[in-house]
Amino acid sequence: MTLWYEWSFDNQEADGEVKAHIRVPADSPWFDGHFPDAPVLPGVAQLGMVHDLLCRIYNQGLPVRQVSRVRFKQMIHPDQALTLTVKAGDADASHSFRIAGDEGLICSGLIRLGTEKQGDR
């Protein structure tokens, strides 16, 4: 998987949390035009990082089925040091996540991966 950001991956903690340390370089295409004089990382890119980490945990590319309770509390700027923490549940459960920086919580929410099952509509 080719990533548009840099990360180092920590092993799973005893409480089931998995952490990744992330930095999005200033030349990332996500910052182009968003916004010209004050670049910030769009929310969809933040959710993409969460999806990438979960795909790595499960060692497969599962689609996103549902995103809920997402709160964007701060903006992410180029080259900012971030810690992404995912509390992975069972494969078809919702997984809680949070992205934090030096100033505290940036984003949090729940995400569910997997394929649609019969009767899940």
Side-chain angles (χ1 to χ4, degrees):
M1 154 181 2
T2 303
L3 300 176
W4 46 268
Y5 54 91
E6 301 166 4
W7 76 341
S8 63
F9 178 70
D10 287 350
N11 290 327
Q12 190 164 347
E13 304 288 326
D15 60 1
E17 290 188 342
V18 178
K19 293 184 181 184
H21 302 282
I22 296 173
R23 187 185 74 81
V24 183
D27 64 353
S28 169
W30 280 106
F31 293 119
D32 290 349
H34 198 262
F35 298 94
D37 295 328
V40 296
L41 191 67
V44 68
Q46 296 173 46
L47 296 175
M49 293 188 299
V50 174
H51 181 247
D52 289 344
L53 182 55
L54 284 166
C55 287
R56 180 169 179 155
I57 291 168
Y58 292 110
N59 200 25
Q60 58 182 318
L62 296 168
V64 175
R65 288 185 60 197
Q66 182 180 29
V67 178
S68 61
R69 298 186 183 178
V70 178
R71 303 290 181 262
F72 297 100
K73 299 193 158 279
Q74 295 183 51
M75 292 184 262
I76 296 176
H77 301 283
D79 294 313
Q80 186 175 349
L82 307 168
T83 302
L84 167 58
T85 306
V86 173
K87 181 140 181 143
D90 294 331
D92 24 333
S94 290
H95 313 284
S96 63
F97 67 88
R98 64 186 180 277
I99 300 172
D102 291 339
E103 303 291 318
L105 183 65
I106 295 171
C107 174
S108 64
L110 298 172
I111 189 169
R112 174 180 255 168
L113 304 181
T115 56
E116 188 173 320
K117 296 175 188 168
Q118 210 62 350
D120 275 0
R121 295 181 187 188

